[in-house]
Amino acid sequence: MTEQKSSNEMWGGRFASGPDAIMEEINASIGFDRKLYAQDIRGSLAHAAMLAKTGIIAADDHDKIVDGLNTILSEIESGKFAFSRKLEDIHMNIEARLAELIGPAAGRLHTARSRNDQVAVDFRLWVKDELSKTASALKKLIEAFLERAEEHAATVMPGFTHLQTAQPVTFGHHCMAYVEMFGRDLSRVRDAIQRLDESPLGAAALAGTGFPIDRHMTAKALGFREPTRNSIDSVSDRDYALEFLSLAAICATHLSRLAEEIVIWSTPQFNFIRLSDAFSTGSSIMPQKKNPDAAELVRAKTGRITGSLVGLLTVMKGLPLAYSKDMQEDKEAIFDAAETLELALAAMTGMVRDLTVNTASMKKAAGSGYSTATDLADWLVRELGLPFREAHHATGRAVALAEAKKCDLAKLSLEDMQSIHPGISEAVFGFLTVDKSVRSRQSYGGTAPQEVRRQIRFWKKRLIRQ
């Protein structure tokens, strides 16, 4: 009994005295890597099937291993499995339980593999599964934006640069900007899946194995495109984890920018949108307050994801090939970032579908700050043939005159306009309204409602293909 325990704890031979409490504490990863149980069992089932087919283990041993692993899977999913810190990680916990269930046949499962390639394949499978979830969540967010964009393709609002009123745009056009951003995030997810879609199982510790294994068989069984091509890189690569954190950090940054706009837009000073009680909270002392806490929390959680990326980059930066125990630090960062991103995407999708648009406030603000000044400059170029720089200066003088008279550009008299340039005619006033300004921006990707609707159609078709 004592001999079996020593074998399970991996501390035989020169480590017969065993680790002390501090070593056990720093070495154990079962507290977090138990999340990999399903992937670990999938990998073991594929490995066992390959060992049996190639004649490396007997069919009878294979059958016992399959039955035992399926029993363990059932125990874990029903909450009956007893995890042990003394067994370090999910791999040894499962292996020890398998030995209890089926006896010596369990020891044959680890033939022609190492914990190095075992954890590498488990982690790749987990990240691949999570990327698929992220892709699905991003598609739902994009679909929510497409619905709002279609609804508000002609809803006028101010466009901003430097958070100052710049030119009139439509809320639909603004929504489509986020469709483009999250569409790039989705493409990064697809690219990441393509790059990690190789199985490291069979690389063993770092040099491969002398057993006649079939790595293409296990790769196919696990849903990978093909096996990895270098055994050293197979066990030391964590690019896929870094890439997941990188795309997660970029996506979270996009979510944070959107959250910031929701926070600003929902203030009484802007009054562009309103969130329902489902995504707001009240104040403990000020009964009139309605706080956009969901958006603020999405904005804050971006820091956690970015921190996870920086943390893992720092872990990996000084590691020689091949495997080092430092790489055990890769999982908690990924697990936390994945959970955080999943929650943030769900929350933001809910907010986009939930928010109410105050079209009157948006339209009123769209005309503030002389937002149609560029339209005046364009008219001077188009109708009077002025060089744009000259038209720009003339428009600047018109804005200064409007400021002095405390009125909008459209409220200046024809005489006022002609004092800026004598060639200006009454026709110019038809181009100084926000609606006319927006409709005129018909260039590809512009804010004109017809162009917004064209881009909506494009994205609907694109999402179907993805």
Side-chain angles (χ1 to χ4, degrees):
M1 188 69 177
T2 303
E3 183 178 345
Q4 180 66 46
K5 181 180 179 183
S6 176
S7 175
N8 285 346
E9 290 181 0
M10 293 287 292
W11 293 100
R14 60 185 291 215
F15 298 107
S17 61
D20 60 21
I22 294 175
M23 183 59 191
E24 181 180 309
E25 183 67 25
I26 197 171
N27 192 50
S29 60
I30 190 61
F32 51 85
D33 71 10
R34 66 179 62 184
K35 281 180 176 285
L36 299 174
Y37 76 87
Q39 289 78 17
D40 194 72
I41 291 173
R42 280 173 62 191
S44 290
L45 287 169
H47 186 64
M50 180 275 297
L51 292 176
K53 185 174 182 181
T54 55
I56 297 172
I57 65 172
D60 181 57
D61 286 336
H62 170 252
D63 292 342
K64 291 177 182 178
I65 289 169
V66 171
D67 288 343
L69 288 173
N70 285 330
T71 297
I72 293 169
L73 180 62
S74 177
E75 289 177 347
I76 294 175
E77 292 183 339
S78 64
K80 296 177 181 178
F81 190 91
F83 293 99
S84 169
R85 285 180 61 80
K86 290 184 180 298
L87 295 173
E88 298 183 16
D89 56 32
I90 187 62
H91 323 296
M92 294 310 301
N93 268 263
I94 289 175
E95 186 174 320
R97 179 57 177 151
L98 187 63
E100 291 176 355
L101 290 170
I102 68 171
R108 301 190 186 282
L109 175 59
H110 209 55
T111 307
R113 77 173 182 184
S114 162
R115 277 198 296 178
N116 291 357
D117 63 334
Q118 188 178 0
V119 68
V121 75
D122 292 358
F123 201 25
R124 277 190 187 237
L125 284 170
W126 193 93
V127 173
K128 186 178 178 183
D129 290 343
E130 196 60 36
L131 283 168
S132 295
K133 292 180 186 177
T134 303
S136 178
L138 279 166
K139 288 181 73 172
K140 289 177 182 177
L141 178 56
I142 291 170
E143 286 167 357
F145 267 117
L146 288 172
E147 290 174 12
R148 301 320 300 264
E150 197 161 32
E151 180 185 354
H152 292 284
T155 299
V156 177
M157 68 173 289
F160 299 94
T161 61
H162 308 276
L163 203 56
Q164 304 292 314
T165 301
Q167 292 177 284
V169 295
T170 68
F171 185 60
H173 189 52
H174 200 99
C175 287
M176 290 304 293
Y178 282 107
V179 168
E180 295 290 333
M181 292 163 72
F182 292 118
R184 290 192 296 274
D185 291 331
L186 181 57
S187 71
R188 274 184 279 271
V189 170
R190 300 298 190 198
D191 290 346
I193 292 174
Q194 176 71 13
R195 270 186 290 277
L196 73 75
D197 205 17
E198 299 175 349
S199 172
L201 188 59
L206 80 161
T209 178
F211 289 95
I213 62 173
D214 185 346
R215 294 190 61 208
H216 288 84
M217 177 182 171
T218 51
K220 183 178 180 181
L222 292 171
F224 288 108
R225 182 181 65 251
E226 59 188 342
T228 52
R229 296 177 180 276
N230 182 280
S231 59
I232 295 176
D233 180 60
S234 298
V235 297
S236 57
D237 168 39
R238 291 299 183 271
D239 288 6
Y240 57 92
L242 289 169
E243 190 163 6
F244 176 87
L245 289 173
S246 178
L247 68 86
I250 294 171
C251 181
T253 299
H254 291 158
L255 290 169
S256 185
R257 296 182 72 180
L258 173 57
E260 173 72 3
E261 293 200 313
I262 288 174
V263 170
I264 292 172
W265 291 347
S266 62
T267 61
Q269 290 77 14
F270 270 75
N271 194 28
F272 284 4
I273 63 167
R274 182 178 178 84
L275 290 172
S276 76
D277 292 347
F279 292 95
S280 306
T281 64
S283 166
S284 63
I285 190 173
M286 297 168 284
Q288 84 282 7
K289 291 290 296 299
K290 189 171 186 178
N291 301 323
D293 281 10
E296 291 172 358
L297 287 167
V298 167
R299 184 175 60 186
K301 288 180 183 296
T302 300
R304 290 177 63 162
I305 296 174
T306 303
S308 293
L309 170 60
V310 174
L312 186 54
L313 283 168
T314 305
V315 167
M316 297 301 296
K317 72 174 183 62
L319 298 187
L321 301 181
Y323 180 82
S324 296
K325 191 69 170 181
D326 309 50
M327 292 160 74
Q328 182 170 289
E329 292 297 308
D330 56 3
K331 295 168 195 65
E332 286 182 286
I334 286 279
F335 294 157
D336 184 74
E339 184 177 312
T340 302
L341 182 62
E342 185 177 353
L343 178 59
L345 283 168
M348 191 55 73
T349 301
M351 279 184 276
V352 170
R353 293 189 185 281
D354 174 83
L355 62 83
T356 301
V357 178
N358 189 336
T359 56
S361 290
M362 280 189 173
K363 185 167 186 177
K364 181 179 179 181
S368 66
Y370 308 102
S371 64
T372 58
T374 306
D375 296 275
L376 174 57
D378 288 347
W379 188 90
L380 292 172
V381 170
R382 187 171 55 250
E383 301 299 326
L384 301 186
L386 270 62
F388 183 80
R389 283 301 168 201
E390 184 178 337
H392 184 279
H393 293 317
T395 300
R397 294 195 299 274
V399 169
L401 182 58
E403 284 180 329
K405 289 178 171 286
K406 294 183 170 52
C407 67
D408 294 332
L409 284 173
K411 297 297 183 182
L412 288 174
S413 66
L414 179 59
E415 183 180 0
D416 289 332
M417 285 292 192
Q418 289 178 338
S419 71
I420 303 301
H421 192 285
I424 295 177
S425 67
E426 189 76 34
V428 74
F429 294 104
F431 292 86
L432 298 182
T433 65
V434 292
D435 289 318
K436 180 67 175 181
S437 173
V438 163
R439 287 197 299 272
S440 71
R441 309 292 174 182
Q442 297 179 19
S443 57
Y444 187 84
T447 194
Q450 67 187 60
E451 182 58 24
V452 171
R453 293 186 181 102
R454 177 161 72 149
Q455 297 303 331
I456 292 170
R457 290 192 297 272
F458 167 83
W459 269 101
K460 284 184 174 181
K461 291 179 182 177
R462 183 172 181 176
L463 277 186
I464 292 172
R465 294 195 299 268
Q466 290 184 322

